[in-house]
Amino acid sequence: MLVNKNLFRKNDVPVTHLLKACAVMSLVAFSFVVQAQTDAKKLSDNSNLLEQYIQSQGYAYSIKFDASNVKQFWTDKSVSRQDNAVKIFLHSSKNVKYESIPLRVLFKNTNASLDCKIDVFTRETGISFSVCNTKNNAVLSSSSSVNDFLNYKNLTSTTHFEDIDSSSFFLKFQSAESSEITIDAIVFSFSGNKDYLHSPGTLTVDTGDATCTPAINNGNGGNSLFPTGEITSVESNKRILVSNNQLSASVKVKNIGENAAKVYLGYVVYNKDAVLLNSRNYPYKKDSPVLKVVSVDEVNKKIVVDRYADWSKGCFIAMNAREDNSDIPNTTLLDSKIGEVKKMENGYSEITLVGAPKKKLKKDDMIRIHGSSSSNLYVGSKTLRPGEEAVLSSTIRKNDDCLLFAPESLSKGVFYVVPFIRSKSQEQNAEHTIAFENFVISY
């Protein structure tokens, strides 16, 4: 074979060297491919092991965020998917070096009796997270480290649903080292809050499991004493869930002080989202109609509605009222009380408000007149003179047909109750002391 010598000049690389270089490059490229395949296999194996580990934890009810679905929940551009993991970009923060934006988590079909445990799995160090309230961004719980798995770090935190608003909260991620973090999986699991009691059962309220105002003293013979004061309260730390179960409460009380006092037996009442309920959330009267707003005079704080309804000074206006009463108990109230209602000649009524509300009503809005009291549900009471004793008792049951806040029934929308005993001196600036024993509620 003839070779053209002009193809190779003095400084050219010999063909044999080129062939050797090509062979070396091929080997290097092959090594890279093999290493990449090995790394990918190792990553896949680790991911499978992590998935097996998560499955082995026995989560009864859980939701997992990972690279396959995270963008369905967190659409912000600071969250992305990379290498089969979740990448989150952080920003500089005053409290920690780097922190993410608040990432909202919203659940459906939940209620206040549940706890949410959050497990975050990552291969990086220096990461933490916090759970924040959506209303005021207050921190509800913070993460702690638990047992590591292989090269994964497991961060965990538990939050009570009774502490969050409308079944949603924010997650915030922090890092002391980097403005970018990688999360392999986030698991949300749900369990019952141990402070919520399911029927049937019996609750005995004592100082070891109650909130007492002021601080309580222990008496002799098993009695628990209300501290001396004008107003006192003992409230159970347990919550009793109500559905079709009957609640029967009984307590023995004795005035061991020097002044008369009235003692009350009752319940603090909540809906499924842990929102406190009272007469303001229910119609003023049994047949309180839905009223249509005809006009609004913001300057003079007056509202004209299409009909007349019973009322009293201090009643509240429920917004977004519905004819079928499906809004009851209504927690969307106009932030100004009723001062006066005048019936007009054409059948309309003019409502004058006590103050200018921040919330706005407009023409054709539907409203209803609701009660005025913020008191809890009292189911029994007795005025005791010094040395006098009595037994207070009550039996009450849930009734979804009941649309009034009254001691005869637990009204529509009541999800759980907290039993209490309260006392109030009959004379101003007079102190009293009440001893109680055998405070028992069966449910």
Side-chain angles (χ1 to χ4, degrees):
M1 180 177 67
L2 297 176
V3 178
N4 186 347
K5 295 182 179 180
N6 293 328
L7 292 176
F8 300 98
R9 296 184 174 87
K10 183 178 181 180
N11 295 325
D12 287 335
V13 179
V15 174
T16 54
H17 288 185
L18 287 173
L19 292 174
K20 289 180 181 179
C22 289
V24 171
M25 291 300 294
S26 297
L27 288 172
V28 171
F30 178 74
S31 298
F32 284 157
V33 170
V34 171
Q35 184 63 46
Q37 291 175 343
T38 302
D39 291 344
K41 185 177 184 302
K42 184 177 180 181
L43 181 61
S44 177
D45 290 344
N46 282 348
S47 297
N48 290 335
L49 288 173
L50 176 60
E51 180 62 27
Q52 293 174 21
Y53 176 77
I54 291 173
Q55 294 297 326
S56 71
Q57 297 307 295
Y59 299 121
Y61 305 98
S62 64
I63 299 172
K64 186 178 77 167
F65 285 14
D66 58 20
S68 68
N69 64 2
V70 69
K71 292 303 289 183
Q72 298 176 27
F73 306 103
W74 293 337
T75 58
D76 189 84
K77 62 183 180 180
S78 65
V79 179
S80 63
R81 295 173 293 181
Q82 183 177 319
D83 297 331
N84 201 32
V86 178
K87 178 78 73 174
I88 301 177
F89 298 92
L90 315 182
H91 58 81
S92 299
S93 174
K94 294 180 180 179
N95 300 322
V96 292
K97 190 169 184 180
Y98 300 105
E99 186 173 56
S100 73
I101 65 167
L103 297 167
R104 190 180 185 212
V105 181
L106 172 64
F107 297 108
K108 293 184 178 179
N109 301 319
T110 57
N111 59 63
S113 69
L114 298 175
D115 283 346
C116 180
K117 182 172 180 282
I118 306 165
D119 286 303
V120 172
F121 297 92
T122 179
R123 286 163 288 169
E124 299 182 4
T125 59
I127 296 177
S128 62
F129 71 88
S130 55
V131 183
C132 303
N133 196 310
T134 54
K135 182 176 289 185
N136 54 18
N137 219 19
V139 175
L140 301 176
S141 63
S142 298
S143 64
S144 59
S145 296
V146 291
N147 295 331
D148 295 341
F149 173 71
L150 296 177
N151 59 334
Y152 292 100
K153 310 295 180 183
N154 184 188
L155 308 174
T156 188
S157 180
T158 299
T159 299
H160 301 308
F161 264 92
E162 66 179 6
D163 296 331
I164 70 176
D165 297 310
S166 302
S167 299
S168 70
F169 54 77
F170 289 138
L171 275 188
K172 284 185 178 180
F173 291 91
Q174 298 89 25
S175 174
E177 301 174 1
S178 175
S179 61
E180 298 179 12
I181 62 173
T182 301
I183 304 294
D184 291 272
I186 306 171
V187 179
F188 304 90
S189 58
F190 309 93
S191 60
N193 186 330
K194 62 182 178 60
D195 288 331
Y196 285 76
L197 306 179
H198 295 258
S199 176
T202 301
L203 170 64
T204 300
V205 181
D206 56 32
T207 56
D209 198 15
T211 299
C212 309
T213 308
I216 208 164
N217 301 311
N218 292 322
N220 296 323
N223 290 340
S224 295
L225 305 183
F226 277 26
T228 300
E230 284 189 67
I231 299 175
T232 64
S233 172
V234 172
E235 185 175 301
S236 172
N237 290 336
K238 299 293 185 181
R239 296 98 162 94
I240 301 175
L241 296 168
V242 296
S243 53
N244 294 324
N245 50 323
Q246 176 177 283
L247 275 63
S248 297
S250 178
V251 60
K252 183 179 179 180
V253 291
K254 183 176 181 179
N255 188 338
I256 61 172
E258 299 179 353
N259 295 295
K262 191 168 185 176
V263 184
Y264 301 88
L265 171 65
Y267 299 98
V268 188
V269 177
Y270 297 87
N271 71 6
K272 70 178 185 65
D273 295 320
V275 176
L276 178 68
L277 300 177
N278 50 51
S279 71
R280 300 177 181 186
N281 306 112
Y282 292 89
Y284 175 64
K285 292 287 184 69
K286 182 178 180 180
D287 298 320
S288 294
V290 172
L291 310 172
K292 185 176 182 178
V293 176
V294 176
S295 65
V296 178
D297 182 352
E298 294 185 7
V299 175
N300 295 303
K301 298 171 290 187
K302 296 181 185 295
I303 304 166
V304 175
V305 293
D306 64 343
R307 58 194 299 188
Y308 181 81
D310 290 334
W311 67 285
S312 67
K313 187 172 183 178
C315 277
F316 277 77
I317 291 177
M319 304 172 69
N320 305 320
R322 299 174 185 171
E323 294 282 0
D324 62 359
N325 296 321
S326 59
D327 62 298
I328 298 173
N330 191 313
T331 57
T332 307
L333 306 176
L334 193 67
D335 52 323
S336 181
K337 301 177 183 179
I338 294 177
E340 186 178 8
V341 178
K342 290 182 179 179
K343 190 171 184 178
M344 304 170 71
E345 292 182 359
N346 59 1
Y348 289 179
S349 297
E350 182 186 73
I351 301 174
T352 302
L353 302 174
V354 174
K358 294 180 181 178
K359 296 179 181 178
K360 302 299 182 183
L361 285 174
K362 62 183 183 301
K363 185 177 181 296
D364 295 331
D365 278 353
M366 308 302 285
I367 64 174
R368 189 190 299 108
I369 294 178
H370 278 207
S372 61
S373 175
S374 61
S375 296
N376 297 304
L377 186 64
Y378 295 106
V379 295
S381 64
K382 177 71 175 179
T383 299
L384 299 179
R385 297 184 299 274
E388 189 176 3
E389 65 179 41
V391 174
L392 299 179
S393 61
S394 166
T395 298
I396 194 169
R397 184 184 291 273
K398 175 77 176 297
N399 181 4
D400 283 327
D401 293 327
C402 179
L403 302 180
L404 295 178
F405 192 78
E408 290 75 27
S409 300
L410 293 171
S411 312
K412 177 189 174 187
V414 175
F415 184 72
Y416 71 92
V417 299
V418 177
F420 67 78
I421 303 170
R422 305 242 165 95
S423 63
K424 183 178 181 180
S425 294
Q426 291 297 92
E427 297 182 18
Q428 191 174 3
N429 299 323
E431 296 182 333
H432 68 272
T433 305
I434 301 292
F436 78 93
E437 59 180 309
N438 299 328
F439 186 11
V440 179
I441 303 95
S442 61
Y443 51 89

